[in-house]
Amino acid sequence: MDVRIYRPARTAMQSGEANTKDWIIEFEPTAPRSIDPLMGWTSSPDTRGQVILRFRTKEEAIAYAEKQGYAFQVFEPKERTLRPKSYASNFDYRRVT
């Protein structure tokens, strides 16, 4: 697998859906990270790990990967389910406390 195609989830610090609408192509690392003995920083000779491509739709991302000849895997997002809530239900006499 050369690339991953996915739609990112929102972070723990977000309540909105910013930056979760686009589909992303990320390249898989081809070389393991190594630790610099002097500074202790991690580095890799693979520069494709820094590249992130954004697309509006999943079909555009798949078409790009196929055109470039990349092997890809698509990760479908887990859809969020909203349960209807009412402020009045906080004061319902049948509410278990």
Side-chain angles (χ1 to χ4, degrees), residues 11-97:
T11 65
M13 300 302 292
Q14 280 182 320
S15 61
E17 296 182 3
N19 298 327
T20 61
K21 302 289 185 191
D22 292 341
W23 287 82
I24 292 181
I25 288 185
E26 270 188 349
F27 291 92
E28 289 294 320
T30 57
R33 293 186 179 267
S34 60
I35 298 174
D36 181 63
L38 180 63
M39 298 298 291
W41 297 341
T42 58
S43 64
S44 174
D46 182 26
T47 58
R48 292 190 326 167
Q50 301 171 5
V51 177
I52 297 175
L53 302 173
R54 294 183 180 272
F55 296 91
R56 292 280 177 208
T57 64
K58 177 174 63 170
E59 291 76 23
E60 289 178 4
I62 290 172
Y64 177 81
E66 288 175 346
K67 181 180 177 185
Q68 298 298 322
Y70 297 134
F72 62 90
Q73 185 174 6
V74 178
F75 295 95
E76 294 291 334
K78 184 177 177 182
E79 294 299 325
R80 185 175 153 191
T81 58
L82 295 175
R83 289 179 281 147
K85 297 180 181 179
S86 169
Y87 180 71
S89 65
N90 289 334
F91 305 103
D92 193 8
Y93 68 93
R94 292 171 289 186
R95 180 174 179 225
V96 178
T97 57

